[in-house]
Amino acid sequence: MSIDGVQVGYSSAAPVVLLREAEGDRYLPIWIGAVEATAIVAALEDMVPPRPLTHDLLRLAVESLGAEVDRAVVTEVRDNVFYAELVLITNGGEVTVSCRPSDAIALAVRTEARLFADPEVLDEAGVMIKSVEEPEQQIEEFRRFLEEVSPEDFSAGEGPG
């Protein structure tokens, strides 16, 4: 998966991160909190705060313990909530940590870790958005999508993780 954008939904005024399937045309919209949206956008834009923010602190803690973030995976949708896992590589092998998708994405961006979604999650919550070639057209298509959709249009949203 790749991050296609973070926007505020026009009908709901809630931030949404839009993940795009690497080998396909499906997108996975996940509504997130404003703080989490800001954290993801800051990392995508390589903004460096004067002091580490929460996700920066977590990255520093993982690295100082000699581990690395290998991948972030959106693992399931259950009771209208998305769930994710971070997979860390340590001296003792892999360690999996359950977390919210927004936290997994924010940390994956900061560590350049791979981002995945379970195929069943894409089957259940993925949407098709008409593919366009020009970046301006992609942005406009994404905006049109956000104007027409709200969190209630999906059976899942992000909740406590």
Side-chain angles (χ1 to χ4, degrees):
M1 303 292 293
S2 63
I3 301 170
D4 202 60
V6 178
Q7 295 282 329
V8 174
Y10 294 109
S11 63
S12 67
V16 61
V17 60
L18 190 64
L19 305 180
R20 183 177 185 177
E21 190 175 30
E23 300 293 325
D25 295 323
R26 290 183 293 181
Y27 291 79
L28 186 61
I30 302 175
W31 272 261
I32 60 177
V35 172
E36 293 80 5
T38 301
I40 292 169
V41 170
L44 288 171
E45 295 182 358
D46 294 322
M47 294 171 56
V48 179
R51 298 185 61 192
L53 300 176
T54 303
H55 297 97
D56 302 309
L57 177 62
L58 182 55
R59 177 187 58 82
L60 292 169
V62 167
E63 291 172 356
S64 68
L65 293 170
E68 74 177 70
V69 178
D70 181 62
R71 61 191 178 275
V73 184
V74 180
T75 56
E76 66 179 306
V77 179
R78 183 173 17 109
D79 297 328
N80 298 326
V81 177
F82 283 97
Y83 291 82
E85 294 177 344
L86 283 170
V87 179
L88 308 175
I89 303 297
T90 70
N91 291 337
E94 284 190 355
V95 174
T96 301
V97 180
S98 179
C99 62
R100 298 181 304 174
S102 58
D103 292 328
I105 293 166
L107 193 56
V109 173
R110 284 167 171 75
T111 60
E112 299 180 8
R114 300 171 295 159
L115 182 58
F116 297 93
D118 186 282
E120 289 181 15
V121 173
L122 278 169
D123 290 344
E124 184 174 338
V127 296
M128 300 289 286
I129 298 177
K130 187 178 97 179
S131 179
V132 291
E133 297 300 319
E134 297 296 319
E136 294 81 20
Q137 289 177 315
Q138 286 179 335
I139 292 169
E140 186 58 35
E141 189 67 28
F142 184 38
R143 285 191 176 129
R144 266 187 252 133
F145 168 77
L146 290 175
E147 287 173 4
E148 299 169 4
V149 70
S150 71
E152 294 78 27
D153 291 335
F154 297 90
S155 62
E158 182 179 91

